[in-house]
Amino acid sequence: MIDLTIDISYLSRYYGLSSILPYGNYNVQNQPQVTESGEEPLTIVTEEGQVTVDPVLLQKLLQDPDKLAKIMKLEEPNNRYLIIQQLNEEDLLKLLPYLNSEELSFGLQYFTMEGLNELMVQLPQEQLIDLLLVHFTMEDVVPYMETGEMNRFFESTHLEKRDVMEYLAGMEYGKFQQLMMNQFGAEFENKSADEYLDFINNMEDDEYKRFLQNLQVNEKMEAIAGLCTINPDYYMEFDNNVLARPMTQLLEKQDLIKTMQTLDPEFLAPMVEQLPKDLIQVVATQIDHNDFAEFLSGDFPELLMKMLAG
């Protein structure tokens, strides 16, 4: 007896295949030995009863998505799951494009936080930055940076001097004053902010680069955060490992998964594909039953017939 819940009443009532009999009351002698198509009849037995059908006509019905969905009761998740379990791995993965971001992200619960971090690091950088900005800014990222990572930012050829000057011009005078005294001594204590800016703007390239590298750690952290506010393209100067840190350090797992729901399905599907087959089957069971019927009707009537035949 098959575990699928088949709508055998629907078959009998609308397609004249045979009258339904209660399970246990089937009498082979009362059934035709050959159907109109010349094939031996197929008896489908379920807990709800049994029905004898013409296999050729039934297979034709299973090629119609609407009829297939009704016969196989695809609106029932258990039926979808039982069928999905029969698919090979290649066909199973073909179901994932039918799922939306929320449905695909359901599979992320099966990863550890370390695993989720690895998935995020594999994302295109633009996508990871979009995830980061759902909750955080560069101000949240810099406390998790190593000194070498900050230094490489100030060595970047993409860092524009005009942006640095804009950042410095917007600094609180007391912080700017302390920064200049840290690097150039007490003689800069009583100079104005405009004098500081003129001095830095007139530096030779080598001297300017040393100035940036000699900023103290806290000054570098504040400068990176401020420069990324001025020009968000500077987020691209940091690799994905750096950008992912605050998300795995500060978010609970369910909050992180909810955040990852904002990704397009094309980025979530490859993540789900990394799960074991049995877990991909669970995720795929969320497929809309009409979409699933469309999928099955094209290439899988024979598989369904095999399941129906027990």
Side-chain angles (χ1 to χ4, degrees):
M1 186 186 303
I2 61 174
D3 293 325
L4 286 166
T5 306
I6 306 300
D7 195 337
I8 53 181
S9 295
Y10 181 81
L11 282 172
S12 298
R13 187 167 63 253
Y14 292 100
Y15 298 102
L17 296 172
S18 176
S19 297
I20 181 171
L21 293 173
Y23 174 63
N25 291 341
Y26 180 62
N27 185 340
V28 176
Q29 295 180 350
N30 294 333
Q31 301 301 323
Q33 299 304 305
V34 178
T35 63
E36 291 183 5
S37 66
E39 299 290 329
E40 292 185 5
L42 171 66
T43 300
I44 303 172
V45 182
T46 75
E47 292 181 352
E48 297 180 353
Q50 60 193 30
V51 66
T52 302
V53 300
D54 183 328
V56 174
L57 179 53
L58 177 59
Q59 188 165 14
K60 183 179 179 181
L61 295 176
L62 295 177
Q63 293 172 354
D64 183 310
D66 293 335
K67 296 180 176 65
L68 186 156
K70 180 66 175 177
I71 294 167
M72 307 297 289
K73 288 191 174 181
L74 294 183
E75 74 279 3
E76 297 187 11
N78 185 63
N79 274 12
R80 297 199 299 274
Y81 178 64
L82 290 171
I83 297 170
I84 285 172
Q85 282 185 306
Q86 306 306 311
L87 300 178
N88 62 39
E89 190 164 355
E90 180 181 357
D91 290 328
L92 174 62
L93 296 182
K94 291 177 182 177
L95 292 177
L96 297 183
Y98 289 93
L99 304 183
N100 61 35
S101 294
E102 183 177 357
E103 291 162 343
L104 287 166
S105 67
F106 175 78
L108 300 181
Q109 66 181 307
Y110 299 115
F111 292 93
T112 63
M113 285 294 283
E114 181 180 358
L116 291 175
N117 182 72
E118 292 176 2
L119 293 176
M120 289 192 295
V121 168
Q122 295 168 13
L123 284 169
Q125 193 174 46
E126 295 88 345
Q127 299 301 317
L128 181 58
I129 291 171
D130 287 343
L131 279 187
L132 174 69
L133 295 178
V134 172
H135 295 289
F136 305 111
T137 66
M138 186 55 71
E139 190 174 359
D140 303 298
V141 179
V142 288
Y144 297 94
M145 286 186 189
E146 299 174 0
T147 301
E149 293 165 344
M150 289 188 280
N151 289 341
R152 283 192 289 275
F153 173 79
F154 290 105
E155 293 168 357
S156 173
T157 56
H158 298 133
L159 180 59
E160 298 285 350
K161 189 172 184 179
R162 65 174 179 269
D163 291 333
V164 174
M165 298 305 296
E166 180 179 343
Y167 166 72
L168 293 172
M171 283 186 70
E172 178 186 329
Y173 175 77
K175 286 187 174 182
F176 198 1
Q177 179 189 50
Q178 188 61 54
L179 182 154
M180 297 299 288
M181 290 175 61
N182 288 339
Q183 292 218 35
F184 305 111
E187 62 183 283
F188 279 79
E189 180 178 7
N190 295 318
K191 294 184 180 292
S192 68
D194 286 341
E195 289 176 305
Y196 294 155
L197 292 170
D198 287 340
F199 180 79
I200 295 168
N201 199 39
N202 291 322
M203 286 179 173
E204 298 292 333
D205 286 346
D206 289 346
E207 185 182 9
Y208 171 70
K209 291 177 182 178
R210 284 195 299 273
F211 164 72
L212 294 178
Q213 289 298 329
N214 289 336
L215 292 172
Q216 295 186 356
V217 171
N218 66 308
E219 293 170 342
K220 288 179 179 177
M221 291 171 63
E222 292 181 1
I224 291 170
L227 287 164
C228 286
T229 299
I230 292 170
N231 185 355
D233 287 346
Y234 290 140
Y235 279 89
M236 303 285 289
E237 296 300 310
F238 300 96
D239 66 37
N240 283 8
N241 284 296
V242 175
L243 297 173
R245 284 175 195 156
M247 288 187 278
T248 54
Q249 295 291 324
L250 299 175
L251 291 178
E252 297 292 335
K253 182 176 178 179
Q254 289 306 313
D255 291 331
L256 179 56
I257 291 173
K258 186 175 182 180
T259 301
M260 294 174 75
Q261 287 180 11
T262 61
L263 291 169
D264 289 337
E266 67 178 292
F267 301 110
L268 287 166
M271 299 180 181
V272 174
E273 289 176 4
Q274 298 183 41
L275 290 170
K277 183 179 179 181
D278 60 333
L279 295 179
I280 298 176
Q281 291 168 347
V282 174
V283 176
T285 299
Q286 299 175 99
I287 186 171
D288 176 80
H289 70 279
N290 291 316
D291 289 337
F292 193 37
E294 188 74 36
F295 174 80
L296 292 173
S297 64
D299 299 317
F300 299 97
E302 291 184 4
L303 170 64
L304 299 176
M305 289 291 292
K306 182 178 178 181
M307 295 184 69
L308 291 171

